[in-house]
Amino acid sequence: MSAHRNMDDKDIDATHHELAMDKSLKRHGKGSNPTGTVKLVEDGEIVLIPTPSPDPRDPLNYPQWQKWVITFVLGLFSVLGVLMTSGMGPFVTLMQSYYDYNPHTDDLMTYPTLFMGIGNVIAMPLAMAIGRRPVFLASALLLTVGSIWCAASTSLGSHIAGRDVLSLAAGQSEALCPLIIQEIHFVHERSSRLAWFSAIQSIGTAALTIATSYLVSSLGWRWWYGVFSIASGLVFISAFTLVPESRYDRPTDAFEGEVHVHHEGEEQVIVHATTKNRVPLDFINYKARTWKHTLAIMHPPANWKEALTCYKQMGQCILFPNILWVVLMNSVSLGIYVIGVTEYASVLGAPPYNYPTTSLGLVQGGQIVVAMIMVPVLGYGGDQLYKLVARRRENGTVESEVRLIPMLLPIVVLLISCVIFGRAASHPTEWSPWAITTTFSGLYFAYIGIILNGYTYSLDSYAERAAPILVLICAIRGFISFGISFGVTKFITEQGFQGAFDICAIIAGVVAALGIPIFVFGWWIRKVTMKYAVDGRTAEF
């Protein structure tokens, strides 16, 4: 079992690496499975994928309670990041009045989504080079500093700049946090853990958005920043104490569930693990976990070449048809949700509904219900379906395309919500206000459901390309959201609510339909693109 000892050795020469890559690809050659098709069940037991090493410091070997703690802290960071960037809705009219209706006041709401995307593009390659922990801690600290900046700002320009800074940090809630969750969990439990992360984000953000109206009216908008800057500081302290480094170099075949250990180029042992037959920890050849090791901000050495490699891999992965479709589906669902979140208040606040401002904040409470539905249905349900398919097959294998099946539900909800929302907003006297509030929650359910299933499908398909794929998904949808935010009012004015949302439904339907060939030909797509998605690292001793 000491074979994992040197699998992160940086001194393997280029020739040896090429031989390792060649052997890895031969194992994936004609007649074998591409990346993303794995043997999940063997003799009735769930195979642990990736294969954990015998190293006590391997994040996959963390106890379950610690994995839950890490997920919870990441969720809290995400709550504050999303709230600070997009939670101004309940008092945006107050800010317009405060700045004498300066047209640039809208930049307080529109620019954060752009800078969240920029934050992903900068931070994720950096996390590949120096590790996840220092980047996450820097982001938590920057979110605190940015919030204090906004609270103390003396001009609109300074206020906008402060929000841009905190948005750079908040962007890590979209890519870095899911990456860490992916790295500390096995394939068969990722969907449920990511669902819990999204649920914490959704419930926390919704609850604090509702509280925002009362907080601002009682203490003023500056203390809104002040209160949550204190909360961000507490999250930073919690992260420093409780969130260790999750980066761990693994051989390529660990992502297949079987590690082929090599000695001088010859295969010697196959390391295999299941839920009932774990890899025993080796305290002789590896160091035990210590608080000193856990609290270290950075585990050297840094590899700056990895940052450039991440950008290169982003360029490759966006050309994968399945990843491109996931990016488009994410972007479409976000774009439609942005339109809904921008316009629902104006519809409900106007006659005949005449909702007061505090009640408009309560509409966000529907997201709490959405989160409670999402965890069992899309989270645990997705994992159970994944395992069920593997159990029903004689060889116990399962394809990553199974992760796309649960996406049908949020897609259907998205299309129905678009149609009803548009008609109810265009003809309010003919529809109950519940048509707006329910379908608004439906748009949110569709958005986070498509994100969840898109993440799990992409990460299961190309486990060794998790970072660049997450950057692509998050950054591109952030840029699209920024573009949409500038054109929503004109779009609604020209098309009307019904026309605008009918167009949205058509676009969403067309993009969703493109998922059919992705599902049917997914195995072949992964087979063809595999040479760009497999590093070919081997376990040596």
Side-chain angles (χ1 to χ4, degrees):
M1 300 309 297
S2 61
H4 289 72
R5 186 178 181 180
N6 296 322
M7 65 182 166
D8 60 349
D9 190 353
K10 305 301 182 183
D11 299 324
I12 299 175
D13 59 37
T15 302
H16 182 81
H17 179 77
E18 290 174 4
L19 289 172
M21 174 68 83
D22 182 61
K23 287 190 175 186
S24 175
L25 293 178
K26 282 181 179 179
R27 283 201 305 273
H28 293 84
K30 187 175 181 180
S32 64
N33 293 323
T35 176
T37 298
V38 296
K39 185 174 184 178
L40 187 66
V41 176
E42 183 177 86
D43 297 329
E45 297 181 21
I46 299 297
V47 178
L48 298 180
I49 305 172
T51 307
S53 76
D55 186 355
R57 295 180 175 182
D58 184 344
L60 289 176
N61 290 325
Y62 292 166
Q64 281 295 329
W65 69 263
Q66 185 174 17
K67 294 182 180 182
W68 278 112
V69 168
I70 294 171
T71 301
F72 184 71
V73 173
L74 296 177
L76 290 180
F77 170 80
S78 181
V79 166
L80 294 173
V82 173
L83 177 73
M84 301 305 288
T85 54
S86 61
M88 285 187 66
F91 65 98
V92 67
T93 53
L94 173 65
M95 299 312 305
Q96 291 172 342
S97 174
Y98 183 85
Y99 289 114
D100 298 323
Y101 297 96
N102 187 322
H104 289 291
T105 304
D106 291 340
D107 293 347
L108 293 170
M109 289 288 289
T110 56
Y111 274 94
T113 55
L114 172 65
F115 278 85
M116 287 179 75
I118 295 174
N120 283 318
V121 173
I122 296 173
M124 286 296 281
L126 189 61
M128 296 296 290
I130 66 175
R132 293 33 160 171
R133 177 172 164 83
V135 174
F136 180 66
L137 291 178
S139 298
L141 183 60
L142 192 61
L143 184 65
T144 304
V145 172
S147 301
I148 296 173
W149 180 342
C150 291
S153 62
T154 57
S155 66
L156 176 58
S158 177
H159 193 173
I160 293 171
R163 287 185 60 77
D164 292 344
V165 168
L166 67 85
S167 297
L168 287 172
Q172 309 327 308
S173 66
E174 296 186 317
L176 182 60
C177 290
L179 176 66
I180 294 173
I181 292 173
Q182 180 252 357
E183 290 180 327
I184 66 175
H185 290 101
F186 299 105
V187 165
H188 69 276
E189 57 188 10
R190 279 183 194 156
S191 182
S192 57
R193 295 303 189 273
L194 285 171
W196 271 111
F197 168 75
S198 296
I200 294 170
Q201 180 190 89
S202 300
I203 293 172
T205 304
L208 293 179
T209 299
I210 293 171
T212 288
S213 300
Y214 303 97
L215 179 61
V216 172
S217 62
S218 300
L219 301 177
W221 66 268
R222 292 186 185 276
W223 267 109
W224 180 75
Y225 285 112
V227 167
F228 293 119
S229 68
I230 295 172
S232 298
L234 293 175
V235 169
F236 169 76
I237 295 172
S238 299
F240 179 81
T241 308
L242 301 172
V243 181
E245 178 60 60
S246 65
R247 179 178 63 170
Y248 196 87
D249 293 329
R250 304 184 190 282
T252 291
D253 40 16
F255 300 98
E256 303 166 9
E258 290 186 344
V259 175
H260 298 67
V261 180
H262 296 261
H263 175 60
E264 297 180 354
E266 296 298 326
E267 186 174 303
Q268 301 289 311
V269 187
I270 295 179
V271 180
H272 188 71
T274 66
T275 49
K276 296 181 180 180
N277 185 26
R278 300 289 297 258
V279 176
L281 299 183
D282 181 354
F283 291 94
I284 297 176
N285 296 294
Y286 299 92
K287 295 180 179 179
R289 292 179 60 207
T290 62
W291 274 108
K292 180 179 180 181
H293 177 268
T294 298
L295 295 179
I297 294 179
M298 192 171 84
H299 297 282
N303 186 354
W304 294 104
K305 184 179 178 181
E306 288 293 321
L308 297 177
T309 300
C310 185
Y311 287 116
K312 174 186 174 182
Q313 292 170 349
M314 286 169 58
Q316 293 172 334
C317 291
I318 194 60
L319 299 178
F320 297 178
N322 47 357
I323 298 302
L324 178 59
W325 178 78
V326 170
V327 170
L328 289 175
M329 201 68 238
N330 268 257
S331 300
V332 167
S333 62
L334 173 61
I336 295 173
Y337 176 67
V338 167
I339 296 176
V341 78
T342 304
E343 299 298 330
Y344 87 91
S346 63
V347 175
L348 293 176
Y353 303 138
N354 298 313
Y355 273 41
T357 302
T358 52
S359 296
L360 289 175
L362 290 172
V363 174
Q364 300 279 347
Q367 295 181 8
I368 298 176
V369 178
V370 164
M372 295 173 66
I373 295 173
M374 178 193 63
V375 171
V377 175
L378 298 181
Y380 286 100
D383 281 341
Q384 291 301 319
L385 176 64
Y386 192 66
K387 289 183 281 189
L388 177 64
V389 171
R391 291 185 187 279
R392 292 177 66 89
R393 293 179 176 174
E394 290 185 9
N395 58 2
T397 60
V398 61
E399 287 80 25
S400 56
E401 281 71 36
V402 172
R403 295 293 197 182
L404 296 178
I405 297 176
M407 195 184 287
L408 286 173
L409 178 59
I411 288 175
V412 170
V413 171
L414 176 64
L415 298 178
I416 294 175
S417 297
C418 279
V419 173
I420 296 178
F421 189 100
R423 281 157 176 74
S426 291
H427 310 286
T429 57
E430 301 175 11
W431 292 78
S432 163
W434 285 100
I436 297 294
T437 57
T438 302
T439 54
F440 173 69
S441 296
L443 294 177
Y444 183 74
F445 173 79
Y447 166 54
I448 62 173
I450 289 170
I451 286 178
L452 172 63
N453 293 124
Y455 277 174
T456 52
Y457 169 67
S458 302
L459 298 179
D460 285 1
S461 296
Y462 304 106
E464 293 188 83
R465 295 293 178 267
I469 287 175
L470 287 172
V471 175
L472 288 172
I473 294 174
C474 299
I476 292 178
R477 76 180 183 217
F479 297 152
I480 290 176
S481 173
F482 172 71
I484 288 174
S485 64
F486 278 99
V488 168
T489 303
K490 182 178 179 181
F491 181 48
I492 297 295
T493 301
E494 292 179 352
Q495 302 295 331
F497 283 108
Q498 183 173 331
F501 277 90
D502 281 350
I503 292 173
C504 288
I506 292 171
I507 294 173
V510 171
V511 175
L514 295 176
I516 297 175
I518 297 298
F519 181 82
V520 174
F521 300 106
W523 190 95
W524 179 83
I525 293 172
R526 288 183 285 111
K527 185 82 169 179
V528 171
T529 57
M530 189 174 63
K531 65 180 179 180
Y532 301 106
V534 173
D535 293 328
R537 290 190 297 263
T538 59
E540 304 275 340
F541 69 86

